[in-house]
Amino acid sequence: MIRLHHIPGSRSMRVLWLLEELGLSYDLQHWSLTDGSLRSPEFLAMSPAGRIPALEIDDRAIFESGAIVQYLTEREGRLAPQPGDPERADFLEWVSYAETQGATLQSLNIQHIFLRPEAARSIPMMKLETKRLAVTARALENQLSDRETLLRSGFSAADCMMGFNIDALFRYVPAADYPALAGYRDRMEARPAYLRAIEKGGDSMYARDFYEIPDA
């Protein structure tokens, strides 16, 4: 039995997408960001920081999306270069890079969407984090300028990790500035497994197509 603990629009979408790509059977358990349930003893026993995702598999629970993705690909022997493959290091780099970029996206989400009252928001922080996000986007733009996926060998679980970020990324930096990355987003979002994951797990949490930095 595989059970994914999930919130729509959260990093658990990466794992949900990968489960669909791998064709594995699983149960999906929904949680909420706002009702305090992520601080319950039940959930903290699976994810000590009270963060989504958590995956119950092989008689244990695993937390952190990057660790879950690596575990699943090694368990199934698919969608990742295995140890000894020349692209293994590239795969691990991009899996971790997705988390680096995700931290910046999380900061911007807090500032633009979740922090209340609006007077508590920091305009300098918004500007700084947007600049940091643009740097991470430029590196991806360069990587994808001559290929369809992050790895030359084709689609991998690293694309599940990174592809999840791109919808959020383009809420804060203009897609027109990153044509290769925008094309990558379109290819990832057209994958049948991605569409199934969205249908089962829910869509984005964003209410706007683009979030401008407010005037000071």
Side-chain angles (χ1 to χ4, degrees), residues 12-24:
S12 55
M13 283 299 302
R14 296 164 166 170
V15 181
L16 178 55
W17 180 7
L18 180 58
L19 289 169
E20 288 292 333
E21 292 282 359
L22 291 169
L24 299 177

Side-chain angles (χ1 to χ4, degrees), residues 171-184:
R171 308 288 173 164
Y172 301 118
V173 298
D177 292 349
Y178 307 93
L181 188 52
Y184 172 76

Side-chain angles (χ1 to χ4, degrees), residues 1 14 43 45 48 56 83 86 106 110 132 137 175 193 204 214:
M1 184 277 295
R14 296 164 166 170
F43 189 75
E56 293 182 79
Q106 182 180 50
I110 290 170
R132 287 176 172 170
S204 166

Side-chain angles (χ1 to χ4, degrees), residues 93-170:
E93 281 183 335
W94 291 115
V95 166
S96 295
Y97 193 81
E99 288 291 70
T100 295
Q101 188 180 71
T104 303
L105 288 167
Q106 182 180 50
S107 177
L108 285 168
N109 289 340
I110 290 170
Q111 291 289 330
H112 282 273
I113 299 171
F114 295 111
L115 201 59
R116 294 290 185 274
E118 292 189 5
R121 297 172 180 174
S122 168
I123 304 302
M125 179 64 73
M126 288 179 170
K127 291 180 178 179
L128 175 61
E129 294 290 52
T130 302
K131 288 180 180 178
R132 287 176 172 170
L133 185 62
V135 170
T136 68
R138 182 55 55 190
L140 284 170
E141 179 74 8
N142 295 337
Q143 177 75 1
L144 294 162
S145 63
D146 63 347
R147 63 186 70 182
E148 298 288 300
T149 55
L150 288 172
L151 302 183
R152 290 194 182 278
S153 57
F155 181 86
S156 73
D159 294 300
C160 294
M161 287 288 293
M162 192 69 71
F164 161 78
N165 287 5
I166 307 306
D167 173 70
L169 183 148
F170 285 145

Side-chain angles (χ1 to χ4, degrees), residues 7-71:
I7 292 175
S10 77
R11 298 182 195 197
S12 55
M13 283 299 302
R14 296 164 166 170
V15 181
L16 178 55
W17 180 7
L18 180 58
L19 289 169
E20 288 292 333
E21 292 282 359
L22 291 169
L24 299 177
S25 298
Y26 59 90
D27 176 59
L28 195 62
Q29 182 166 338
H30 288 264
W31 295 77
S32 171
L33 283 173
T34 58
D35 65 2
S37 58
L38 296 181
R39 296 296 175 187
S40 68
E42 175 192 3
F43 189 75
L44 291 174
M46 295 182 290
S47 180
R51 287 163 46 96
I52 288 289
L55 186 74
E56 293 182 79
I57 187 171
D58 298 337
D59 299 319
R60 63 159 296 163
I62 308 174
F63 56 94
E64 297 294 339
S65 57
I68 294 169
V69 162
Q70 291 181 56
Y71 183 86

